[in-house]
Amino acid sequence: MKIHMAALWGALRSSRVQDAGLGALLLAGTWAVNGAAATPETSALFAEAVWLREPPARWVLIGVCIAAVAVRRRWPIPALAAASLAAVAQMALAAAPVPADLAVPIILYTIAAQRRREVSLALLGAALAVATAWSAYVALDGKTDGWRHEGRPFGVGGQERTPEAPARPPQGAPDGPRQGGQGFTTLGATDWGGIPVLGSLLVVAWAIGWGIRSRRAYLGELEARARDLERERDQQAALAVAAERARLTRELHDVVAHGLAVIVMQAQGGAAAFAKRPADTLSALDTIVATGRASLADIRHVLSASGQIDDPARPVPGLAQLPRLIDQVQQAGTPVQLHINGSPRPLPTGVDVSSYRIVQEALTNTMKHAGSGACAQIVVTYTSEELRIDASDNGTGESASGGTGNGLRGMRERAALLGGEVASGPGPDGGYVVRARIPLDLGETA
């Protein structure tokens, strides 16, 4: 927050310095124009010539224009009104235009670049209306335009007429209003080129400001879109990390929990048979070694991000490996019956692996919680639209954490990712039942 406030304050200070610098530049330009237009009699003292050529009221109006430019960003609309009044007052004095009079188009440019289009267009219309009305007044007041300039730019070698220095009308032209019976034309206010010049200048200033605003809006939209894309990319990355973490958690839980359950049961059986049946103990130890190696291989398969450390000869776990899984569980001392209904067929890889893991976790829960002497039954049903898995046991032990264990949660997550569902709970005749339903997409096979 402090950084943003400091940046905002720095921007404000920078804009104020720029406005003050622009005002000083217009003042210096005005000073130079007046000095260049000085007569030979007054040009010896440059500063004196500048002040002598303009009445104090003119410098007050010039000062108003300079001040309006200096505050154009803070109070643009009041600054435009003040600069417009000062410009009209100078034209009423029949004064020649100077760089400071560019305050009106400069402020109009600022408004077009900062404010809404409706506001800037309304102010442009008001400025054009004022310029049109003033031009009409000057054209219809019956007087000659009070300011004329002849010669090179900025008055060098030229002459400037003021109301105090009337000019004789062109030869053959009818005499206008007379002063003192001398037949000279009365000089009036000036319009500095009329609506063609003033209107074009105002419209060009507004168009440039609006173009700047449109470009800023476009760049801002691009920056916002880039920020949104970056935020979306970060969110997608975070979701991918979370999904991968959940996948690893499910896979490691299934692999490690099942392997450890088999190892523990084999170790218990081997220890019980050691005294009377040493051969059974050795068989249990062989099973423990084989189960440990298989679990390590499964862990390596789970942790391999893209198969670099995976054994190509080792098949991906799937329903085709159910007989091997059931043999492993039976060797650990838990009888298992497997029934296949329907016609087995190739399944999508995700469905095949998830189905295998659901059966594996259900058997692991049976070994851990069903108690001694329990047996399990696995029924896999293939239909045209879905795959159903029913895993039940007749055990008397407590269920896994009342249905809220990591294994059961992993089953539900696996099925949910595939658009299916898993229901679990005590069976109607005792024991525990897990039912899974996974829809099949016939267009996607392994």
Side-chain angles (χ1 to χ4, degrees):
M1 183 65 179
K2 292 182 178 179
I3 297 178
H4 292 308
M5 291 300 296
L8 179 60
W9 176 247
L12 289 175
R13 290 185 59 185
S14 176
S15 63
R16 291 177 182 177
V17 170
Q18 291 177 2
D19 293 342
L22 180 58
L25 182 62
L26 293 178
L27 180 60
T30 302
W31 191 287
V33 168
N34 281 272
T39 62
E41 291 77 10
T42 59
S43 60
L45 297 174
F46 177 78
E48 193 175 48
V50 173
W51 288 100
L52 288 176
R53 286 183 58 79
E54 299 292 353
R58 177 74 190 282
W59 285 105
V60 172
L61 297 175
I62 291 174
V64 171
C65 292
I66 299 299
V69 170
V71 299
R72 62 192 175 100
R73 297 181 196 267
R74 299 178 62 184
W75 303 298
I77 297 178
L80 178 64
S84 299
L85 290 176
V88 172
Q90 292 185 73
M91 287 189 287
L93 294 176
V98 291
D101 298 317
L102 293 173
V104 174
I106 290 176
I107 298 172
L108 185 60
Y109 154 82
T110 303
I111 294 175
Q114 292 183 349
R115 298 303 179 91
R116 293 182 296 109
R117 184 176 183 180
E118 294 79 4
V119 175
S120 62
L121 276 177
L123 293 175
L124 173 62
L128 291 175
V130 171
T132 302
W134 182 257
S135 297
Y137 167 75
V138 172
L140 300 176
D141 65 352
K143 300 178 182 180
T144 299
D145 196 340
W147 174 80
R148 284 291 184 271
H149 186 77
E150 299 175 356
R152 287 175 288 173
F154 304 121
V156 179
Q159 296 180 353
E160 181 178 310
R161 294 192 322 213
T162 65
E164 293 75 22
R168 187 176 300 276
Q171 184 176 4
D175 290 342
R178 301 177 181 273
Q179 289 183 345
Q182 299 178 1
F184 293 132
T185 301
T186 302
L187 300 181
T190 182
D191 59 359
W192 291 352
I195 192 60
V197 175
L198 296 179
S200 300
L201 186 61
L202 294 175
V203 170
V204 169
W206 179 89
I208 295 175
W210 178 250
I212 294 295
R213 175 180 173 84
S214 300
R215 176 175 174 79
R216 289 175 181 172
Y218 176 71
L219 293 178
E221 183 179 354
L222 291 181
E223 292 177 358
R225 187 179 304 174
R227 288 194 298 269
D228 293 341
L229 291 176
E230 184 177 0
R231 188 182 304 111
E232 183 179 357
R233 181 196 63 191
D234 294 340
Q235 291 175 352
Q236 293 294 335
L239 292 176
V241 170
E244 181 65 12
R245 185 182 295 116
R247 184 189 73 83
L248 289 175
T249 301
R250 290 192 301 268
E251 295 287 344
L252 289 177
H253 175 272
D254 293 346
V255 171
V256 174
H258 176 77
L260 288 179
V262 172
I263 289 173
V264 168
M265 296 191 68
Q266 288 290 337
Q268 290 176 342
F274 179 73
K276 298 181 180 179
R277 301 189 303 277
D280 292 343
T281 301
L282 293 177
S283 177
L285 292 175
D286 292 338
T287 302
I288 290 174
V289 171
T291 303
R293 288 176 176 175
S295 297
L296 287 176
D298 287 340
I299 292 175
R300 287 169 59 87
H301 175 78
V302 169
L303 296 180
S304 61
S306 57
Q308 292 91 341
I309 62 174
D310 191 24
D311 183 6
R314 181 178 180 81
V316 177
L319 294 182
Q321 282 73 47
L322 281 185
R324 181 175 64 87
L325 175 65
I326 290 175
D327 289 342
Q328 191 178 48
V329 174
Q330 288 179 336
Q331 289 179 6
T334 301
V336 181
Q337 294 180 353
L338 175 62
H339 300 280
I340 306 295
N341 296 328
S343 301
R345 59 180 180 273
L347 299 174
T349 302
V351 174
D352 203 18
V353 174
S354 296
S355 302
Y356 176 87
R357 294 302 187 193
I358 290 173
V359 173
Q360 184 184 48
E361 179 59 28
L363 293 176
T364 300
N365 287 339
T366 297
M367 289 188 292
K368 291 170 59 178
H369 304 290
S372 59
C375 62
Q377 181 175 351
I378 306 297
V379 179
V380 179
T381 303
Y382 293 86
T383 68
S384 59
E385 298 179 352
E386 63 183 12
L387 177 71
R388 293 198 297 267
I389 298 174
D390 296 330
S392 59
D393 61 59
N394 59 354
T396 57
E398 297 181 356
S399 62
S401 304
T404 60
N406 289 330
L408 293 175
R409 183 170 61 249
M411 290 184 193
R412 298 189 184 100
E413 290 176 355
R414 290 180 184 278
L417 289 175
L418 298 171
E421 59 183 1
V422 171
S424 60
D429 299 326
Y432 202 77
V433 179
V434 174
R435 292 186 175 90
R437 182 189 62 82
I438 301 176
L440 297 178
D441 184 1
L442 299 181
E444 179 186 1
T445 58

